[in-house]
Amino acid sequence: MAAITAACCSTVPTEEISMELYVIRRPSAWANMSELERAGATSARIGDEQMPDRVRWIRSYVVHEADGRIGTFCIYEARDGDSIRDHARCVGMPGEEFYKVAATVVVRGDPVEPPIAAE
């Protein structure tokens, strides 16, 4: 547990932070929206309070998986892949499938829906 705690609480002076954009795929990770909401709240808290110099959660797209479970495609800024893995480990959710964003093409903005905010 000490290794996880250390990974979750590392800090770097703000002026040294360099983050890149990533898409994180978390397939069939939750049984229902209630589980996802709890994980989202924990994820936001750990990212904001313990790892603000390593990861920043931007947004997530929630999908219904073929097996009936809930999955996500999450957009994060992160210092590196290890930061994504460490954050996921601290939260207790999948974090091994991720991709560095090469470019962003926006044809239209996201449709406006009432967001489900992480608390």
Side-chain angles (χ1 to χ4, degrees):
M1 189 67 150
I4 292 175
T5 302
C8 294
C9 298
S10 66
T11 59
V12 171
T14 304
E15 62 272 5
E16 294 180 27
I17 298 173
S18 174
M19 301 227 191
E20 298 188 73
L21 199 60
Y22 289 86
V23 175
I24 306 167
R25 173 75 170 116
R26 304 186 206 279
S28 298
W30 299 278
N32 53 52
M33 289 300 292
S34 180
E35 279 187 8
L36 172 60
E37 288 169 9
R38 283 192 303 276
T42 301
S43 177
R45 182 180 48 76
I46 288 174
D48 291 346
E49 295 174 7
Q50 299 177 21
M51 304 178 75
D53 59 330
R54 298 185 64 200
V55 296
R56 291 186 193 125
W57 180 17
I58 307 301
R59 71 176 56 156
S60 293
Y61 295 96
V62 179
V63 296
H64 292 282
E65 301 284 359
D67 63 3
R69 294 179 60 86
I70 303 293
T72 58
F73 290 86
C74 301
I75 310 302
Y76 273 68
E77 287 181 318
R79 197 167 40 174
D80 52 30
D82 287 338
S83 295
I84 292 169
R85 285 185 199 95
D86 290 345
H87 175 260
R89 194 174 313 116
C90 291
V91 174
M93 63 184 178
E96 289 299 320
E97 186 179 349
F98 58 86
Y99 309 89
K100 192 181 299 185
V101 173
T104 302
V105 177
V106 178
V107 176
R108 293 176 189 82
D110 288 344
V112 179
E113 290 184 26
I116 299 174
E119 296 177 5

